[in-house]
Amino acid sequence: MARFEANVGEHFSNEVMATLAPCMARKPRHDTTRHVATARMMVPIKRRIIMARRRARYPGNAIDTDPVIRLWLLRILIALGGHREFVRSHGFNNDALAEILGLGHWIDPSPNDFDLKAVQGELRQLHQKAEKQWAKAPLPAFLCSNVRRLSELVGLSPTDCRILEFAVSIQNERLLDDTADWLGQLSSVKVFHALSVILDLPEPEIRASLSAQGILARSGLVSVDRSGTSTLRGKLDLLSDGFADLMATSEADPISLLRGTVSAAGAGQLRVEDYGHISPSLEILRPYLRHATTTGRRGVNIFLHGAPGTGKSQLARALADELGCELFEVASEDADGDPVNGERRLRAFRAAQSFFAQRRALIAFDEVEDVFNDGDSFFGRKSTAQVRKAWINRMLEENPVPTLWLSNSIRGLDPAFIRRFDMVFELPVPPKQQRERILRDNCGDLLDAGTLSRIADAEDLAPAVVAKAASVVRSIRDELGQAGAAVAFERLISNTLEAQGYRPLLQHDPSRLPAIYNPIFIHADADLSAVATGIINARAGRLCLYGPPGTGKTAYGRWLAQQLDAPLLVKRASDLMSPYVGENEQNIARAFRQAAQDGALLLIDEVDSFLQDRRGAQRGWEVSLVNEMLIQMESFPGVFIASTNLMDGLDQAALRRFDLKVKFDFLRPEQAWELLRRHCVQLDLPTPQPDLLSRVMRLGQLTPGDFAAALRQHRFRPLESPSALVSALEAECMVKDGAKRSIGFL
């Protein structure tokens, strides 16, 4: 009795305890009559306790369960045979269900009083009575109202509505779910039969409604999991985890029903005019989207790819704003911040297409990699798009709401999908001129003009990276001070670039020429000043500069860019080479495209890596690499310079593509002597005396690059005389092959 009392006190109300207290205070041991009377009093009290326990397991008032739910329960038990699991020889498998159905008087009798056949007979009578009374009973008001609104929105049939009501109810009603579990593991075929019985609808209609072509599936509201077997609830997939609760508890609008999967986009921070670097594509895209939204054109799909932070989402918002359209974004995370898998996102997308078909709207589907490329081919798993290939193809042909598909990379996308998009274009990192404007807008008050220009030289610097770094630094600017804020901004930018796999910020201007520079100090077999004049007039040309390292090939490219008043885009072999087959060609094409967009002079150093003689090629990709370079060279409208230290072995067809081939060689004696004199002036050293001339003449492989190396040494090992400078030049020449050869006449 003490254990019973403690158990009651732990779990149940003061009211029940108050009822028990008088009975428990008595001492029935010496009074048999009182003991019997107390025992009789305890029966209803015990039943109340038991019911309290059941209500704790099944929230809500069981007696208030909707009649239609009770009818479905009885159909599962009687028509589908669930009673075999529900009614056992000595009692019920679920007392709460027995209470709801009106069998509470059979709960917890003495073992000898439970009559299995009588219970089964009463259960059948309850079923017959329910069929007469509740066959047309309505469901809860919120659920009915929301189903009716969805029916008007997407065109649901009466059968569709009934299935949707049941799918929502089995998610929300614990007893309905538990009772359906007694049907066991169901195949798709058995699901159709079970729903036909439970909803009292013809099975062919159930099959048609839940087919892949049915509105329920196409809208993403309800679909049948056709893989393997599961419980009835497990086989019926709803739009999202929170969808059932929203349908049953509030008057919901379409956007709220898609909560956690699709959301209205926020205000954009950029305008379409900020994307001038892709104006050729926008000149097609803008009128096409305008036509589609005006005429209701179906199957409009745009695939936009580019590195993270290049502004793809902002472009979608800017386009929607310009067109006067609502923009809805398919979420990649749910309300709790957990990732949403590709299958679930596709279902949300389908629903959005149905929900917003009658609105002037656009849909943005960001991070499509989890749909089109989420499989692991090594282990044989297919992407969501591959598994749902037929539906994807049909959707790309028929979707009523124009859609912008956004991706960080097009790599791995099946070409069969690519050809089904109306437009496919890349959103690259903005050109330097625009990067400078973005930097001025975000942190012009943090950086001086020189630093700003140097940071803008980072070719992989995306707008989002700038905005984030500026936001961080500005929040702690008062603590850092002006100088500290500038340093912090550079460090954040550099760290982010490096983390993304790009080159960190350079601490000097890569396009800056030496303080002492003039083409007259370059030993070339062409008049470089005259070449520059011709290039300036034509604004186009293809030059091949070849010769030993340090002879001034790259410096001449920098100087020529300055004469053209054009940006300089330098690409080295390490920038373009990739271990992935086919990506080298893509990198080459991207470099030429970037230079064309920026109006830049393109200089590719170590071009011999890409123009090896195809006659000696042993692998197919070596041939395709040369072919790609030749194609890009011929189609490039600007100034292109290729430099190499290894002229021998270049493809002969490639050499014919160059307008001019210029050989750069070691300095002539008079050039070397004049450079020495000018560097002495720069370093504030005395004028070199004639006795040094013979030493300079013996430097057979002296280049302008050797002077640059000596100047770098001067920063930490000061050169105190012209003789010391010549010694430094001698040391640079001694490490070269063939350094004993003289360049002079002595």
Side-chain angles (χ1 to χ4, degrees):
M1 180 62 72
R3 176 185 287 181
F4 180 69
E5 183 178 0
N7 191 44
V8 170
E10 180 180 357
H11 295 286
F12 305 109
S13 68
N14 293 330
E15 181 184 356
V16 175
M17 289 298 298
T19 306
L20 286 174
C23 303
M24 297 169 65
R26 297 174 182 144
K27 300 179 181 180
R29 296 180 185 175
H30 307 292
D31 191 334
T32 304
T33 304
R34 279 188 181 179
H35 180 75
V36 173
T38 300
R40 289 175 177 173
M41 291 178 64
M42 291 287 291
V43 171
I45 295 172
K46 185 179 179 181
R47 185 163 292 162
R48 290 174 66 184
I49 295 171
I50 293 169
M51 287 305 302
R53 288 175 177 169
R54 292 172 197 135
R55 292 188 178 98
R57 288 175 53 199
Y58 300 91
N61 190 344
I63 305 301
D64 295 335
T65 301
D66 293 285
V68 69
I69 300 296
R70 281 183 272 174
L71 175 60
W72 289 345
L73 291 169
L74 287 165
R75 286 173 176 173
I76 293 172
L77 295 173
I78 300 301
L80 293 174
H83 68 278
R84 301 182 184 89
E85 295 291 331
F86 172 48
V87 186
R88 301 296 180 86
S89 58
H90 298 293
F92 298 110
N93 202 346
N94 189 315
D95 290 344
L97 177 59
E99 187 75 27
I100 287 173
L101 296 178
L103 299 172
H105 53 281
W106 288 104
I107 297 175
D108 297 324
S110 62
N112 296 329
D113 291 338
F114 190 84
D115 190 331
L116 176 61
K117 291 185 178 181
V119 172
Q120 291 175 339
E122 190 172 342
L123 188 61
R124 282 190 283 273
Q125 291 177 3
L126 290 171
H127 174 228
Q128 294 172 1
K129 182 179 179 182
E131 291 287 0
K132 294 178 180 179
Q133 293 182 344
W134 301 332
K136 297 184 179 181
L139 283 160
F142 284 136
L143 179 57
C144 288
S145 175
N146 288 329
V147 169
R148 182 172 63 253
R149 296 177 68 186
L150 286 179
S151 176
E152 296 171 353
L153 185 64
V154 303
L156 299 178
S157 69
T159 300
D160 296 333
C161 293
R162 207 64 176 163
I163 293 173
L164 178 58
E165 292 167 348
F166 179 81
V168 170
S169 298
I170 201 171
Q171 291 283 335
N172 290 330
E173 297 285 344
R174 172 78 177 273
L175 273 177
L176 184 60
D177 180 25
D178 288 350
T179 304
D181 284 351
W182 291 331
L183 301 179
Q185 298 292 300
L186 304 179
S187 64
S188 299
V189 174
K190 291 183 178 180
V191 168
F192 299 142
H193 174 69
L195 290 176
S196 174
V197 173
I198 296 170
L199 302 178
D200 192 25
L201 294 171
E203 190 169 333
E205 291 185 13
I206 298 289
R207 288 178 176 273
S209 286
L210 290 174
S211 68
Q213 293 74 36
I215 295 178
L216 287 176
R218 287 192 286 113
S219 65
L221 293 172
V222 184
S223 62
V224 176
D225 182 4
R226 301 178 184 273
S227 61
T229 61
S230 183
T231 62
L232 183 55
R233 178 186 176 184
K235 296 290 284 185
L236 297 176
D237 286 334
L238 285 176
L239 177 62
S240 67
D241 294 336
F243 176 74
D245 183 63
L246 289 170
M247 287 285 291
T249 58
S250 62
E251 194 80 22
D253 59 74
I255 296 179
S256 67
L257 290 174
L258 294 172
R259 187 184 305 163
T261 55
V262 178
S263 60
Q269 300 174 340
L270 300 175
R271 301 171 301 165
V272 176
E273 289 73 18
D274 294 319
Y275 292 86
H277 56 297
I278 58 167
S279 55
S281 297
L282 291 178
E283 288 172 2
I284 304 172
L285 177 60
R286 295 164 75 180
Y288 182 58
L289 287 178
R290 188 177 297 108
H291 170 78
T293 55
T294 302
T295 63
R297 183 183 177 96
R298 302 177 73 88
V300 176
N301 295 279
I302 313 299
F303 194 96
L304 177 59
H305 62 100
T310 51
K312 299 182 293 293
S313 299
Q314 287 294 325
L315 176 58
R317 297 181 182 186
L319 287 168
D321 185 61
E322 181 182 77
L323 296 170
C325 295
E326 298 177 277
L327 179 67
F328 299 98
E329 298 174 335
V330 179
S332 57
E333 297 180 346
D334 61 20
D336 298 325
D338 297 322
V340 182
N341 63 33
E343 179 75 22
R344 187 68 68 179
R345 297 185 73 203
L346 272 180
R347 293 186 56 191
F349 173 75
R350 286 184 292 181
Q353 287 288 339
S354 298
F355 286 16
F356 307 132
Q358 305 304 316
R359 304 170 73 154
R360 187 175 176 85
L362 299 176
I363 293 176
F365 198 119
D366 201 358
E367 300 182 22
V368 302
E369 296 86 349
D370 64 344
V371 172
F372 290 102
N373 197 32
D374 63 346
D376 187 341
S377 59
F378 183 81
F379 293 103
R381 294 193 294 268
K382 295 182 177 180
S383 69
T384 302
Q386 290 290 349
V387 174
R388 299 285 185 264
K389 193 170 185 177
W391 181 87
I392 289 285
N393 291 338
R394 185 167 59 251
M395 177 270 301
L396 292 175
E397 296 171 356
E398 300 176 357
N399 59 299
V401 183
T403 302
L404 298 168
W405 302 80
L406 314 180
S407 175
N408 293 333
S409 174
I410 202 168
R411 184 191 302 165
L413 188 66
D414 190 335
F417 291 129
I418 293 178
R419 66 181 178 83
R420 295 183 178 274
F421 291 99
D422 299 316
M423 291 182 62
V424 179
F425 65 92
E426 181 182 11
L427 182 58
V429 173
K432 181 178 180 179
Q433 185 177 12
Q434 188 169 339
R435 294 198 298 271
E436 287 183 343
R437 183 185 62 77
I438 294 171
L439 283 164
R440 283 195 301 272
D441 292 345
N442 284 272
C443 49
D445 57 332
L446 299 175
L447 307 172
D448 59 68
T451 303
L452 189 146
S453 179
R454 176 168 53 80
I455 295 176
D457 281 322
E459 300 167 8
D460 301 300
L461 182 59
V465 176
V466 174
K468 180 63 69 176
S471 175
V472 172
V473 172
R474 195 162 274 107
S475 68
I476 55 176
R477 181 178 180 177
D478 292 341
E479 299 180 32
L480 297 176
Q482 183 67 25
V487 172
F489 180 82
E490 282 198 64
R491 184 172 292 119
L492 290 176
I493 292 288
S494 188
N495 290 347
T496 301
L497 289 173
E498 193 169 12
Q500 291 178 311
Y502 305 130
R503 182 186 294 119
L505 289 180
L506 299 176
Q507 296 306 307
H508 65 279
D509 186 354
S511 63
R512 185 177 61 192
L513 286 168
I516 301 174
Y517 182 85
N518 196 306
I520 65 175
F521 297 123
I522 295 177
H523 182 190
D525 62 356
D527 187 338
L528 297 180
S529 295
V531 170
T533 301
I535 295 269
I536 292 171
N537 292 331
R539 309 299 297 185
R542 297 188 292 265
L543 306 182
C544 179
L545 312 182
Y546 66 98
T551 51
K553 301 182 292 295
T554 302
Y556 179 71
R558 293 171 180 166
W559 179 80
L560 186 56
Q562 288 186 1
Q563 306 310 301
L564 289 165
D565 192 23
L568 174 66
L569 179 61
V570 179
K571 292 292 184 180
R572 298 170 179 79
S574 58
D575 300 326
L576 302 176
M577 298 297 286
S578 170
Y580 302 103
V581 176
E583 192 160 299
N584 292 333
E585 293 87 339
Q586 295 177 19
N587 291 340
I588 291 171
R590 188 177 296 110
F592 278 92
R593 185 167 61 251
Q594 181 181 348
Q597 292 171 344
D598 295 359
L601 185 155
L602 175 61
L603 191 155
I604 295 183
D605 198 8
E606 303 169 354
V607 77
D608 46 277
S609 301
F610 309 104
L611 291 179
Q612 289 292 327
D613 197 331
R614 287 169 291 183
R615 293 173 298 180
Q618 298 180 351
R619 293 170 288 272
W621 63 265
E622 295 175 321
V623 175
S624 65
L625 193 61
V626 177
N627 292 339
E628 182 64 32
M629 179 65 78
L630 296 181
I631 292 172
Q632 295 298 332
M633 286 172 55
E634 291 184 335
S635 61
F636 184 61
V639 180
F640 169 56
I641 296 178
S643 68
T644 178
N645 304 329
L646 304 171
M647 191 66 168
D648 296 338
L650 293 190
D651 190 88
Q652 296 301 306
L655 290 176
R656 292 195 298 271
R657 292 330 195 261
F658 289 104
D659 302 321
L660 185 65
K661 294 172 279 292
V662 182
K663 182 180 180 181
F664 283 54
D665 211 338
F666 302 113
L667 291 170
R668 296 191 300 267
E670 64 273 17
Q671 291 175 317
W673 182 251
E674 181 60 25
L675 268 180
L676 177 65
R677 287 197 320 105
R678 296 199 181 192
H679 279 87
C680 286
V681 173
Q682 182 185 3
L683 298 175
D684 200 23
L685 300 176
T687 302
Q689 297 301 306
D691 62 302
L692 292 176
L693 181 59
S694 60
R695 291 174 61 185
V696 174
M697 295 299 178
R698 286 194 293 270
L699 300 179
Q701 293 184 334
L702 190 62
T703 69
D706 297 327
F707 282 92
L711 288 180
R712 290 194 298 272
Q713 295 175 23
H714 178 72
R715 292 178 300 176
F716 56 87
R717 193 175 66 178
L719 302 170
E720 298 178 350
S721 67
S723 178
L725 175 55
V726 174
S727 296
L729 296 174
E730 290 171 336
E732 291 296 323
C733 289
M734 285 299 295
V735 299
K736 302 177 185 179
D737 294 335
K740 299 298 184 182
R741 183 173 65 87
S742 174
I743 66 170
F745 38 80
L746 299 180

